[in-house]
Amino acid sequence: MRKPAEMFDREYEWSALTRFITDEQPGATLGVVSGRRRQGKTFLLDAACRAAGGFYFGATEATDAESLRRISTSLTAHVRPAAPFHFANWSEVMDALFALGTERPVPVVIDEFPYLVRANPELPSIIQEAFRPLRDARAASRARVLLCGSALSFMGKLLSGSAPLRGRAGLELVVRTLDHQLAAEFWEITDPHLALRVNAIVGGTPAYRREFARGDSPRDGEDFDPWVVRTVLNPETPLFREARYLLAEEPDLRDTALYLSVLGAVADGNATRGGIAGYLGRKATDLAHPITVLEDAGLLHRDQDIFRDNRPTYRIAEPLIGFYHAVMRPVWDQLERPGSAARVWKATRRRFVCNVVGPHFEQVCREWALHHADPELLGGLPAQVGHGVVHDTTARVGHEVDVAVVGLADGRKPPLLAIGEAKWNDVMGQAHIERLRRIREIAGRAGRYDASATKLLCFSGAGFNDKARAAADADPTIELVDLRMLYGLS
């Protein structure tokens, strides 16, 4: 299948769909496509159906009877049979969908599948029975049925454990957000300093530029502040309330106020469960369920401490939600009044830099080390990249490490390939390097990792002074990583 010219990137996803859809082997097969909202899943699957002459059905929030009527009408329009379809149940629907693939492989997409299951919880079991091995209707078909959904808490459980569809799917495709490098290309931003600030607000969600901002991208660094005011902080644009809608659209989030408060606590710098509990005035045990639900929904991410067991920290996974809680939610009443955005943004820019850009820069540095850095630069292939605290038992003090890269154990003590410090607004110098040297020494004494060849990574959004550059030139274990390097420009 030829990928549409207007589709940005998605080479991997399109190739995976092409292999699945065009597979000539007999027998209907099942695939599951998931991903956070606004990532272009519907566009991707609709384009695949158009390219291969398939059938696409987008479910809506409706009763089971209404959904059966809608798919009857849609399939009638697609097939144009002698008599229109009037399905009495989903077993009849599945057989009719299988019949589409009697002559050739053909994609059959059911989008927003969680809506259908909410109205008919037995639907996964019905589909399981339809895909029973050696069943005649399945064996005679080469339909490639794709179930798609954005409710990650639901889609993540669809093929897990004892779920009815476990073991039935031949494709499990997650449509992910664009990483920081692809996002800059998509927004047509060539200045890495500007690209990272934009990425800290809207992340890598394609719809936020095309539909929500109507193609509006900041022209240069001087246009960044006006762009924030006219898009994200503008009550007239969809971006203004998007963070709230993302939370409301998750079916498992019923006590919205509690979940908003948990996200607000994390956005305010409370990264541990105890810190979140203290911020909310609750016991840490009371927050186990809401934190788990937010994790399952893909809104909160748990990071394990690389150097200490059972010391997880939490971060907001969707940048726009982090921006909303750190910048918009505390002054929401003012922002709702038209014409107030410029004044509010001027007063909250410092909070944006400290609570949004700084933590986001650190996360981008970790993702760069895991996905983009040359293994030769790190001294090996990363098996795990994270952050943590190295405890100095002698001085009884903990040292935070922004980026920690662990290599493959290979039957021995895992190598600590690199440790790094990330500073968005600071010009880094000799003091930062000496601090990393000290941490490397302490980590080596701790004995958890082999730190004999650990490299020191200095990440800066503001650059490096002459002493830092001289130290890096003299010591091959020191690497200075600037924004151009993070964005693959040098």
Side-chain angles (χ1 to χ4, degrees):
M1 301 189 306
R2 178 173 295 182
K3 193 185 80 166
E6 65 271 22
M7 182 180 294
F8 177 81
D9 191 58
R10 299 305 186 198
E11 300 289 347
Y12 172 80
E13 292 86 350
W14 188 260
S15 296
L17 284 174
T18 298
R19 289 192 299 272
F20 178 76
I21 291 170
T22 60
D23 186 354
E24 291 287 345
Q25 70 173 329
T29 51
L30 177 68
V32 173
V33 179
S34 62
R36 299 223 300 266
R37 294 187 183 278
R38 327 296 193 233
Q39 303 309 317
K41 299 184 300 299
T42 296
F43 177 61
L44 182 71
L45 293 172
D46 187 45
C49 284
R50 292 175 184 272
F55 172 69
Y56 173 90
F57 174 73
T60 59
E61 290 188 274
T63 65
D64 191 50
E66 183 181 355
S67 294
L68 284 169
R69 285 197 297 271
R70 288 190 65 246
I71 198 168
S72 298
T73 302
S74 295
L75 196 56
T76 297
H78 179 76
V79 177
R80 298 187 182 278
F85 293 112
H86 295 287
F87 299 122
N89 53 60
W90 288 100
S91 295
E92 293 182 4
V93 172
M94 293 307 300
D95 285 344
L97 296 179
F98 284 172
L100 297 177
T102 54
E103 297 181 358
R104 62 180 179 87
V106 61
V108 176
V109 173
I110 300 179
D111 202 358
E112 296 297 352
F113 182 64
Y115 287 150
L116 300 180
V117 179
R118 193 182 305 176
N120 186 346
E122 297 179 358
L123 188 52
S125 296
I126 295 171
I127 295 176
Q128 176 195 34
E129 170 60 22
F131 279 93
R132 176 168 46 83
L134 303 181
R135 184 171 175 268
D136 291 343
R138 178 193 181 183
S141 172
R142 282 181 289 174
R144 308 306 179 212
V145 181
L146 291 156
L147 307 179
C148 180
S150 301
L152 295 188
S153 55
F154 172 86
M155 298 301 293
K157 299 172 185 174
L158 198 60
L159 303 176
S160 65
S162 59
L165 295 179
R166 178 172 172 77
R168 291 288 192 264
L171 173 72
E172 188 174 2
L173 179 63
V174 178
V175 180
R176 304 185 186 278
T177 59
L178 303 175
D179 66 25
H180 66 284
Q181 292 187 3
L182 285 173
E185 184 181 346
F186 180 75
W187 281 81
E188 299 180 278
I189 300 174
T190 57
D191 174 5
H193 192 273
L194 173 61
L196 194 132
R197 285 184 290 166
V198 171
N199 192 249
I201 298 177
V202 293
T205 299
Y208 291 162
R209 185 192 182 195
R210 283 180 171 163
E211 287 86 15
F212 285 53
R214 300 189 296 275
D216 186 356
S217 181
R219 295 183 298 275
D220 50 35
E222 293 184 359
D223 190 41
F224 175 72
D225 290 340
W227 174 80
V228 173
V229 170
R230 68 178 180 259
T231 56
V232 192
L233 300 185
N234 183 357
E236 300 172 6
T237 69
L239 272 175
F240 182 75
R241 293 178 178 82
E242 170 67 1
R244 288 190 166 195
Y245 292 157
L246 283 174
L247 200 67
E249 288 172 348
E250 287 294 331
D252 291 340
L253 306 186
R254 293 182 176 84
D255 186 1
T256 307
L258 175 59
Y259 296 109
L260 282 169
S261 296
V262 170
L263 292 171
V266 177
D268 206 43
N270 301 281
T272 65
R273 182 173 294 185
I276 298 170
Y279 183 90
L280 300 182
R282 296 199 177 201
K283 295 179 180 179
T285 52
D286 295 340
L287 297 179
H289 178 68
I291 286 177
T292 300
V293 171
L294 285 169
E295 284 185 79
D296 291 343
L299 302 179
L300 203 62
H301 191 277
R302 175 170 52 184
D303 295 320
Q304 293 296 336
D305 191 313
I306 292 291
F307 302 99
R308 303 178 298 172
D309 294 325
N310 302 318
R311 298 291 181 91
T313 56
Y314 297 90
R315 59 180 169 85
I316 295 175
E318 170 54 57
L320 188 62
I321 290 181
F323 178 81
Y324 164 76
H325 282 279
V327 175
M328 300 175 68
R329 189 176 177 223
V331 289
W332 185 257
D333 289 344
Q334 294 196 51
L335 284 173
E336 283 193 304
R337 181 177 179 178
S340 299
R343 181 171 63 92
V344 171
W345 177 239
K346 182 178 179 180
T348 57
R349 285 193 65 204
R350 185 176 181 279
R351 183 174 175 84
F352 168 68
V353 172
C354 296
N355 290 43
V356 179
V357 183
H360 186 75
F361 178 62
E362 293 177 10
Q363 181 58 28
V364 167
C365 293
R366 289 188 282 268
E367 292 175 359
W368 175 86
L370 182 61
H371 300 296
H372 297 283
D374 188 335
E376 291 186 6
L377 181 147
L378 299 175
L381 181 69
Q384 185 181 10
V385 175
H387 59 92
V389 176
V390 175
H391 189 66
D392 186 346
T393 56
T394 303
R396 295 184 179 181
V397 63
H399 300 278
E400 292 189 11
V401 177
D402 297 329
V403 181
V405 185
V406 179
L408 298 169
D410 199 22
R412 298 170 294 177
K413 186 185 297 184
L416 183 61
L417 298 178
I419 57 174
E421 185 167 1
K423 296 293 183 183
W424 169 249
N425 247 0
D426 295 348
V427 176
M428 300 187 77
Q430 184 69 31
H432 297 93
I433 294 173
E434 292 303 324
R435 177 178 180 272
L436 288 175
R437 281 177 172 152
R438 174 64 175 161
I439 294 173
R440 177 173 60 185
E441 178 186 341
I442 297 169
R445 291 203 308 262
R448 180 172 186 147
Y449 300 112
D450 177 5
S452 59
T454 301
K455 290 202 170 185
L456 308 180
L457 308 177
C458 293
F459 299 90
S460 177
F464 309 93
N465 64 23
D466 292 340
K467 290 185 178 180
R469 296 188 184 280
D473 290 338
D475 187 346
T477 68
I478 300 173
E479 295 289 347
L480 306 183
V481 184
D482 60 12
L483 284 171
R484 290 187 60 81
M485 195 169 177
L486 278 178
Y487 276 87
L489 301 175
S490 62

